[in-house]
Amino acid sequence: MSVITGPQEFNQDDLYVDLEPTVGHSLYLKCEGFNFAGSVKLKAATAMVADAERQGILRPGSFLVESSSGNLGVALSMIAANRGYRFVCVTDSRCNLATRRLMESFGTEVHVITEPDPEGGLLGARKNHVRELCASDDRFVCLNQYENPNAWKAHYATTGPAIAREFPQVDVIFVGAGTCGTLMGVARYFRQWNPDVRIVAVDSVGSVTFGGPASRRMIPGLGSGERPAQLDESYVDDVVLVEEADTVRTCHQLARTGFLFGGSTGTVVSGATTWLAEHGTPGLTCVALAPDLGERYLDTIYQQHWVEDLYGEDVLAAEPVLTAA
């Protein structure tokens, strides 16, 4: 029996789904959504808050403020409620309604940015708003997930070792690229302990993270409107870019096998399938990271009208063939 006093103390870190029957390649999906925050962002949030408390930056009466597309905001909302902090999450109009309501349920004040910055887009506008809030009141504390080293150190200490423990002969790891904390933590761990492991970053088309042109992106989680400060491409062996329509198709295909995952997971699985179709060889042991589950996306990715309005009426009719022949 496990007994906890704080919700951040529980995280199921050793659950994998064997996707070979679905994608036709040996691929194990590491599920990061089984905790009280519902996503992989719990690890970064816990590490950043703990470090700020150790340094005395966070103390009774502090107001946390952070920019987030959703999942980190939920994780910080949960921790702030448990630790007695007020929290202001600055998000934008792409954030799922269910996610915003979940944050508000914890007592978080959610600021939704609707107008992009002329140069920095919605992300830049969110960061500007955070800076304005911090300048207005010295009680505001920004953990700055985009540059805080504890975001990647959390995964160096937990996610990387968990994969190595379960799959000591792992050959390829697929990790989505958002703020790049997860990617860099896992990549740094394996570069030190098993440099033969191939790290494949999966990103969304329209993201500028790896130098591509910016374009519309409607699914929160992966991708960025500016190059992430934490990214060091020397740790990345390959990059796969995924169209959002393929993300949606993959999510629906996985749902038809009984697994309801979020948009970031659909992107990672689609990217991994594409990479394996070109580079996969018999005997490879491959692991992909699933950042969250699908319940928060019921009004978007799993809502027919939302999907058809953004990607066309035939988007689901052209679902990817993920089942082995």
Side-chain angles (χ1 to χ4, degrees):
M1 179 177 68
S2 297
V3 178
I4 62 174
T5 57
Q8 65 272 22
E9 297 171 23
F10 171 77
N11 187 45
Q12 169 57 263
D13 204 34
D14 295 304
L15 180 65
Y16 297 79
V17 176
D18 181 358
L19 288 184
E20 184 169 9
T22 303
V23 304
H25 300 276
S26 179
L27 181 64
Y28 298 95
L29 190 63
K30 187 178 191 304
C31 299
E32 294 281 355
F34 290 100
N35 55 61
F36 285 103
S39 82
V40 70
K41 287 292 188 177
L42 175 64
K43 294 177 178 178
T46 300
M48 291 190 296
V49 168
D51 183 69
E53 289 178 333
R54 282 193 299 268
Q55 294 187 54
I57 298 170
L58 269 180
R59 51 190 181 273
S62 292
F63 283 64
L64 271 172
V65 58
E66 188 64 61
S67 162
S68 170
S69 62
N71 281 338
L72 182 80
V74 173
L76 286 176
S77 295
M78 184 191 76
I79 294 172
N82 180 253
R83 304 290 289 172
Y85 302 118
R86 298 284 299 276
F87 177 42
V88 178
C89 181
V90 180
T91 188
D92 61 58
S93 51
R94 295 172 298 186
C95 180
N96 301 320
L97 178 60
T99 300
R100 297 203 300 269
R101 287 177 173 170
L102 184 55
M103 289 189 281
E104 290 168 345
S105 297
F106 286 117
T108 294
E109 183 178 329
V110 180
H111 294 191
V112 180
I113 302 300
T114 58
E115 293 297 325
D117 179 80
E119 295 185 1
L122 286 169
L123 175 59
R126 279 163 34 193
K127 289 183 174 181
N128 290 341
H129 189 68
V130 169
R131 283 191 286 267
E132 291 169 2
L133 288 173
C134 290
S136 69
D137 191 325
D138 60 9
R139 293 176 298 172
F140 279 107
V141 176
C142 177
L143 300 176
N144 190 8
Q145 65 160 325
Y146 307 101
E147 299 181 29
N148 193 319
N150 292 290
W152 70 260
K153 288 179 180 179
H155 296 284
Y156 180 92
T158 60
T159 311
I163 295 171
R165 184 169 57 248
E166 189 72 24
F167 298 97
Q169 304 303 319
V170 63
D171 298 297
V172 186
I173 301 175
F174 301 93
V175 188
T179 60
C180 290
T182 308
L183 174 63
M184 287 294 98
V186 171
R188 283 189 167 98
Y189 175 84
F190 281 98
R191 178 64 60 87
Q192 180 173 356
W193 297 106
N194 188 352
D196 292 333
V197 173
R198 195 163 193 84
I199 302 296
V200 180
V202 183
D203 197 13
S204 301
V205 170
S207 167
V208 305
T209 296
F210 294 98
S215 62
R216 184 190 74 169
R217 290 179 296 109
M218 299 303 297
I219 300 174
L222 301 186
S224 180
E226 61 184 44
R227 181 180 171 85
Q230 298 189 66
L231 176 63
D232 183 341
E233 290 189 64
S234 69
Y235 288 94
V236 177
D237 296 296
D238 291 308
V239 177
V240 180
L241 300 180
V242 176
E243 295 277 1
E244 285 195 336
D246 289 326
T247 292
V248 172
R249 293 183 191 111
T250 300
C251 285
H252 280 256
Q253 186 73 9
L254 290 170
R256 288 197 175 93
T257 69
F259 292 104
L260 196 73
F261 287 108
S264 298
T265 300
T267 302
V268 171
V269 172
S270 179
T273 305
T274 298
W275 189 93
L276 288 167
E278 183 175 351
H279 304 286
T281 57
L284 280 182
T285 298
C286 303
V287 174
L289 266 64
D292 62 5
L293 302 178
E295 289 92 339
R296 295 174 192 173
Y297 302 85
L298 295 180
D299 292 328
T300 55
I301 289 172
Y302 296 103
Q303 212 283 331
Q304 182 177 351
H305 295 301
W306 187 90
V307 170
E308 291 179 351
D309 287 347
L310 289 175
Y311 306 108
E313 293 183 359
D314 297 329
V315 63
L316 295 179
E319 289 182 4
V321 181
L322 297 184
T323 306

